[in-house]
Amino acid sequence: MEPFVWPELNALPGIVHAVFTRHGGVSRPPYATLNTALSNGDDPNAVSENLRRIASWLGVPVLAAVPQVHGTHVAVVDEELLSAASRPLNNGCPLVLGPPADALVTACRGVGLMIKIADCQAVFLVDPVRRVVANVHCGWRGSVRNILAATVDVMRTRFGTDPADLIAAVSPSLGPCCAEFRHYAIEIPHSLWSFQVRPTYFDFWAISRHQLAACGVRSENIHTAGECTVCRRDKYFSYRGEKTTGRMAAVVALT
Ligand SMILES: [Zn+2]
């Protein structure tokens, strides 16, 4: 496995993170090979093995995930959520599944917050001062509803995070080269039309940078992978490019 990592996050003590690619797992086409989703038709035994490999690579005992619904609910992963969560896969699989949400926040150590993506952004938010991490599922609907601001708000109010301390990282995802929205007039609010890079194409990486900066995250602390999943289907799963396909794992944890 050779996941995407940021040197700026690796430099922080007590944090592990990675955006895994489509390679290094056991799923068969069209989910080949490191699929992490259970809801797209893949063999659960293959997903279970893939998740074991991911947890092992990171060195975390638990991967916490939720059904992602393109909303703005932020789930705080604490002892209460973990004890109520289900374990849908057996055989020592590290997956624990909470209620539907699109962002996860935790101050618990040893719990990998996992977001599943194929063109959507996973956005890591790390507060090295308060020792809190978040992982956000941010597709275009999440961008339109500004789930990034909702997540920063929960970190601020529940954990005392100062946004000026946050380090943010935007995963490989749909790039401005491929983000065509032919129905943008009804799908994307007027306030975001200035992020149109050419007719009907939008830069959602720039939208995330803009929304994070508006929350008070310093621009020098916002890192974007800059790799487009649609262009790089050799490396990443792409929903736009393939329709029936796998989902990659983006994981961040306190150790
Ligand atoms: Zn592209």
Side-chain angles (χ1 to χ4, degrees):
M1 292 194 227
E2 289 184 39
F4 192 102
V5 296
W6 284 269
E8 295 86 354
L9 293 188
N10 274 339
L12 301 172
I15 308 279
V16 292
H17 79 285
V19 181
F20 292 86
T21 69
R22 64 187 303 161
H23 301 300
V26 297
S27 294
R28 302 172 66 165
Y31 314 106
T33 57
L34 194 59
N35 171 50
T36 61
L38 284 166
S39 56
N40 58 358
D42 194 6
D43 172 8
N45 291 320
V47 175
S48 186
E49 171 60 21
N50 292 342
L51 293 172
R52 270 195 296 273
R53 291 184 182 192
I54 285 166
S56 168
W57 192 94
L58 290 161
V60 296
V62 172
L63 294 174
V66 286
Q68 300 167 183
V69 292
H70 296 284
T72 55
H73 180 61
V74 181
V76 174
V77 178
D78 53 13
E79 296 301 334
E80 188 184 334
L81 183 143
L82 290 169
S83 61
S86 65
R87 286 186 172 265
L89 294 167
N90 305 319
N91 308 321
C93 181
L95 179 68
V96 299
L97 195 61
D102 286 277
L104 300 166
V105 181
T106 198
C108 296
R109 291 191 289 179
V111 180
L113 304 181
M114 183 172 83
I115 292 292
K116 294 154 286 174
I117 51 168
D119 295 340
C120 290
Q121 299 172 13
V123 181
F124 298 147
L125 298 171
V126 176
D127 178 352
V129 177
R130 300 280 175 169
R131 309 286 306 157
V132 181
V133 292
N135 196 354
V136 186
H137 170 235
C138 189
W140 70 267
R141 290 181 187 84
S143 295
V144 166
R145 295 172 182 175
N146 204 345
I147 188 171
L148 290 172
T151 309
V152 172
D153 209 44
V154 168
M155 296 180 87
R156 227 169 29 78
T157 55
R158 292 283 294 272
F159 298 96
T161 290
D162 178 350
D165 293 330
L166 284 174
I167 318 284
V170 179
S171 75
S173 47
L174 179 65
C177 40
C178 297
E180 183 182 20
F181 287 78
R182 270 172 282 178
H183 307 294
Y184 76 90
I186 50 170
E187 289 174 337
I188 297 177
H190 191 259
S191 60
L192 297 178
W193 287 7
S194 61
F195 293 93
Q196 206 169 176
V197 290
R198 58 191 164 101
T200 72
Y201 284 75
F202 287 75
D203 186 346
F204 281 88
W205 298 337
I207 290 173
S208 290
R209 282 194 296 269
H210 168 77
Q211 290 177 335
L212 289 165
C215 294
V217 183
R218 296 168 189 267
S219 57
E220 65 267 31
N221 287 343
I222 303 170
H223 307 285
T224 37
E227 283 192 352
C228 172
T229 43
V230 183
C231 290
R232 294 300 311 275
R233 273 172 271 168
D234 58 311
K235 191 172 176 187
Y236 300 113
F237 292 125
S238 170
Y239 177 74
R240 278 199 177 216
E242 301 168 277
K243 299 303 174 198
T244 302
T245 189
R247 297 290 181 277
M248 299 168 294
V251 185
V252 63
L254 297 164
T255 57

